[in-house]
Structures are given as C-alpha cells and as structure tokens.
Amino acid sequence: MASSVNDITSSETKSPLTWLITGCSSGFGLQFARHALAAGHRVIATSRDPSKTPALVSEIEGAKPPGRGRWLQLDTSAADCGALIDRLETGQEEADGPHPPTAVNVLVNSAGFAITGPVEGFADQEVCDVMETNFFGPYRLMRAALPHMRRRRRGVIVNLSSGSGLEARHALGVYGASKAALDGISKTLAKEVAEFGIRVLQVYMGSFDTPMGHATKLVEQPLDPDYENSMVGKTIGVFQSGQFQALGDHKKAVRAIYDVVVGEGAGAGLGREVQMMLGKECAVRAIEVRDGLNHMLETFGEVCNGVDLD
C-alpha cells in the first residue's frame, strides 16, 4: 500500500497520494509517473503535446484500477499553466471526461530544457524561453497549488534543479541561472510553508541517462572564434557531437527522491530536508560551493565584519 505524507516529518498512515508531474513525455517525468503508479499512488501525468506520445498516454491511463492514471496537456511556459491545478482541485478539469475534485498531494516540477552558449551570445528571447519553462512555469504551478495545500495542511513540492544552479558551468550560464532562480524561491518557500505542514524539496542533479543531454540546443548566434578552443567551445562541442555521456541512472535517482518524499527506505527520517543532491558530478559542484564560501570567509571575513555603523 502506498504511503501518505501526513506532515513535514512523517508518513504514519497508509493511503494513496495524488501526484501531479510535469514533463512526462520522457526522462524523469515519465519515470516518476511509472514509479508512483507502481507504488500504488494516483498519477496525473502532463506534457506539452500528449498527441506526440500516444503509447505513453495509453500506458499511464491504462493503469489498474481504472482512473488511477491520467494524462493531461500542460505547457509550463504558458502564463496560465497554474489554472490546471485550480480546475483539478475544483472538479472543473474535464479534458478526459468528468472527474470529481482532485486534491494534488505531490507536485513534481520535472519539465525543463537547456540552451548552451557563452553568456554574451544569448538573445533575449532565448533567455526568456529558458526562464519561462525552468523558472516561471514551476513558480506558477507552486503558486496555484499552495492555497489548496495550505487549506489541507499537507502537501509536498519537488523541484528538479541542477548542479549548474549550484556552481557555474561553462556554456550553461542561462540554464544555471534559471535553476538558481528556482533554488532561491524554493528555499524561501520551504521556510514560509513548513508551519503549514507543507514540504518543499529542491533536488540538485548531475548528468543522467535521459534525452535531455542530447536534446540540449545551441544559441542561434554563431560562436565567436575566440570561444572555439576555450572551455565554452569544448563544452558546446560535447553536446553538439552527440557524444555526451551521462553518469547517472535516472531510475535510481527517481527511487531516491520518491523515498525522501514518502519517508521510506533511504528517505526515512528525512522529512525536514529541503535540499538533496544526486549524481557524482553534483557532489563535486557542492564541494566547489563549500570551498568557495570558505575562501570568501577567509579572504573577506575581517572586511565583512568591519563595515558596520559606528
């Protein structure tokens, strides 16, 4: 029987949760949907264009007993994407037939994409596109889900981030900025809603065996010759050559996140954690951040503490 998250620290009762998951056409979103269904939960899988993945839609919606799996259209870059949650919660979402009001217990913001290029090479629209999907979309969905979760005094929000949001990576400046923005809002939100029994979990990811690495785009502006043999050019070359090699197993990662959400297995007793890292590369990024902060404290500690008003 599936676990039910009662509060921010425990999962004492046993009943299915309803998971709303974005980006289910592939990768982490799809695996979250499969894993939650296999564990006995209810799943609302979403993607930008469900008509492109009819076999996957049939798989999720064919889960037994009938009605435990649904697949709905959701474009996280749309300004009104949060309206889907309001329609579900009030029973007004009838895209696949009439349904009673649906309480979203777990929101998983998995949808995302990346564009590579030097920071100076991005057009405004490219930056906006990345930010809309990776930051504004999750933020809108969180804003829509929170009033309902607060009313019930329970709920979990999971945001998939990246090691490049922790520490700078060549050619991934805009992608990293979008994840860093999500990081900042998530950490603040976690503090604001903890007293209402709502958990927010920010998961920093290394590279995993999903289509994302091979689907990463390149900025439209041609690369300046200065960058061709630099670390920026070499990083772009890895993505563009089709030889990108991920280190992580996304199925293992999903299981680890699931365990932390429901408080089982390796996640038992970790209900108060708001940050989680997965993948060896991400551990390297965390060490870089720690060492950088220590260096800053050692270098500027005296100056930092010497600028107060007399």
Side-chain angles (χ1 to χ4, degrees), residues 260-276:
V260 172
V261 170
V262 302
E264 295 177 350
L270 300 179
R272 293 188 180 274
E273 298 303 317
V274 298
Q275 294 176 289
M276 179 181 185

Side-chain angles (χ1 to χ4, degrees), residues 17-300:
L17 299 169
T18 297
W19 297 58
L20 174 63
I21 306 165
T22 68
C24 291
S25 60
S26 66
F28 279 101
L30 178 59
Q31 184 59 25
F32 267 113
R34 287 170 168 167
H35 193 92
L37 282 173
H41 298 284
R42 296 178 294 264
V43 166
I44 301 170
T46 70
S47 62
R48 183 174 297 184
D49 188 355
S51 68
K52 291 184 176 180
T53 57
L56 296 179
V57 173
S58 296
E59 174 191 340
I60 299 302
E61 295 192 335
K64 305 295 183 182
R68 199 160 60 86
R70 300 174 64 188
W71 196 301
L72 299 176
Q73 191 277 334
L74 177 65
D75 182 353
T76 57
S77 67
D80 64 347
C81 65
L84 174 64
I85 291 179
D86 291 324
R87 294 197 301 271
L88 287 166
E89 292 274 359
T90 58
Q92 298 177 39
E93 178 53 52
E94 298 186 359
D96 55 350
H99 286 271
T102 300
V104 176
N105 307 121
V106 184
L107 168 63
V108 180
N109 284 309
S110 175
F113 82 102
I115 302 177
T116 60
V119 168
E120 69 175 86
F122 280 80
D124 284 355
Q125 190 58 56
E126 290 172 323
V127 177
C128 289
D129 289 344
V130 174
M131 293 298 293
E132 283 288 351
T133 297
N134 295 356
F135 173 71
F136 283 108
Y139 183 31
R140 290 166 182 141
L141 292 173
M142 289 190 289
R143 289 203 314 248
L146 281 165
H148 305 288
M149 291 182 173
R150 277 193 293 103
R151 186 178 69 251
R152 290 187 290 269
R153 289 300 194 260
R154 63 184 296 198
V156 183
I157 295 172
V158 180
N159 292 326
L160 299 194
S161 187
S162 167
S164 62
L166 275 176
E167 178 59 37
R169 301 293 290 158
H170 294 87
L172 291 172
V174 171
Y175 177 72
S178 71
K179 294 300 187 179
L182 185 61
D183 176 27
I185 208 85
S186 297
K187 288 190 289 188
T188 301
L189 179 62
K191 292 182 177 182
E192 293 178 346
V193 300
E195 62 190 276
F196 306 130
I198 301 170
R199 296 169 50 195
V200 181
L201 179 65
Q202 184 81 347
V203 186
Y204 302 99
M205 317 289 285
S207 65
F208 284 87
D209 57 341
T210 70
M212 185 173 180
H214 298 288
T216 298
K217 301 178 180 179
L218 176 65
V219 289
E220 291 188 6
Q221 179 173 306
L223 190 66
D224 188 281
D226 276 350
Y227 285 110
E228 288 180 358
N229 293 315
S230 72
M231 280 301 299
V232 169
K234 292 175 182 177
T235 302
I236 291 173
V238 170
F239 285 106
Q240 295 300 302
S241 67
Q243 298 177 353
F244 176 80
Q245 294 293 322
L247 300 181
D249 183 330
H250 75 291
K251 293 181 180 179
K252 291 180 180 179
V254 166
R255 177 55 192 258
I257 298 167
Y258 173 88
D259 283 351
V260 172
V261 170
V262 302
E264 295 177 350
L270 300 179
R272 293 188 180 274
E273 298 303 317
V274 298
Q275 294 176 289
M276 179 181 185
M277 60 182 183
L278 290 170
K280 294 178 180 178
E281 299 144 307
C282 203
V284 172
R285 301 289 84 75
I287 292 170
E288 290 174 347
V289 171
R290 182 194 64 190
D291 291 348
L293 290 173
N294 285 338
H295 174 77
M296 180 173 64
L297 285 168
E298 293 170 0
T299 304
F300 294 105

